[in-house]
Amino acid sequence: MTVPVVFDVGAEPLHGDLTMPAGAIGVVIFVHGSGSSRHSPRNIAVARTLQDYRLGTLLFDLLGEHEDDRRFDVDLLVCRLLRVLGGRDWGLPVGLFGASTGAAAALGVAATWPENVRAVVSRGGRPDLAGDYLPQVTTPTLLIVGGEDRQVLRLNEDAAKQLGGHAEVRVVPGATHLFEEPGALQAVAELAATWFTTHLS
């Protein structure tokens, strides 16, 4: 069952869609990347796979309609995500799924509030943009990158070495940045689902 939710973060309200399958073992908050929203078809597809694994999902807009110029403001994104995370009693272990700049925000929140974030997964993310947050992240972190997304792969490998906790880089062979190749996005979804069920259950 999917229900609309609204978060008051001090500026214009942020809108989201919360889906909780029966017998949910955890909830995964999606942190969209630059230029994306809760309507991202890639994140919706991943969310459906996570739901099949009895994981609740929250897809929401991290920025308002007129804030696209702030999509690289990682500190702002971290602040917003902290407000969302602390804005309700989730009642279940929480994981964060970040894409692009959203991955940096997810890591920033994991560093700031480790007791509330049990696992992080990044899809084609820019964890390097998390900067000084990286050594403070002790949350188990999975960085998924396309094998043909070579520059981002190097950035992820470097970031993984700086993380303060358990981190893995997994490469989807033949995939480019958006994982548009046949089977690539499903591979991401399965890797994420396995990571979250391992660390949230």
Side-chain angles (χ1 to χ4, degrees):
M1 177 179 177
T2 299
V3 296
V5 291
V6 180
F7 297 97
D8 180 6
V9 296
E12 52 186 301
L14 302 182
H15 296 269
D17 299 308
L18 178 64
T19 303
M20 296 299 293
I25 60 172
V27 59
V28 176
I29 299 175
F30 280 67
V31 193
H32 301 292
S34 56
S36 189
S37 73
R38 70 185 187 280
H39 302 299
S40 161
R42 286 180 291 277
N43 282 343
I44 289 172
V46 172
R48 285 174 177 158
T49 295
L50 298 186
Q51 292 155 18
D52 289 341
Y53 281 76
R54 293 192 299 135
L55 292 162
T57 60
L58 171 68
L59 289 86
F60 76 106
D61 296 331
L62 197 53
L63 294 172
E65 287 183 21
H66 309 294
E67 294 185 312
D68 194 53
D69 60 329
R70 307 193 72 178
R71 63 189 184 277
F72 291 104
D73 187 342
V74 173
D75 287 333
L76 171 70
L77 301 182
V78 168
C79 182
R80 291 270 176 92
L81 186 53
L82 284 169
R83 294 283 294 272
V84 168
L85 186 60
R88 64 184 295 145
D89 179 9
W90 298 98
L92 290 167
V94 172
L96 301 177
F97 182 95
S100 188
T101 52
L107 290 169
V109 169
T112 306
W113 211 350
E115 64 273 23
N116 281 54
V117 179
R118 297 270 291 273
V120 174
V121 174
S122 162
R123 171 184 62 79
R126 291 291 308 276
D128 54 297
L129 296 177
D132 293 341
Y133 287 118
L134 291 175
Q136 304 173 53
V137 178
T138 57
T139 302
T141 300
L142 177 64
L143 307 174
I144 307 172
V145 190
E148 298 303 310
D149 195 9
R150 292 184 176 89
Q151 181 179 2
V152 172
L153 176 56
R154 286 193 296 272
L155 292 171
N156 275 257
E157 289 172 336
D158 289 343
K161 297 172 185 175
Q162 300 176 57
L163 289 167
H166 176 59
E168 294 183 20
V169 178
R170 297 293 295 272
V171 177
V172 178
T176 52
H177 185 62
L178 296 180
F179 298 89
E180 296 175 307
E181 295 72 23
L185 192 61
Q186 186 58 34
V188 171
E190 295 291 342
L191 287 168
T194 300
W195 191 263
F196 284 127
T197 53
T198 297
H199 293 288
L200 299 186
S201 61

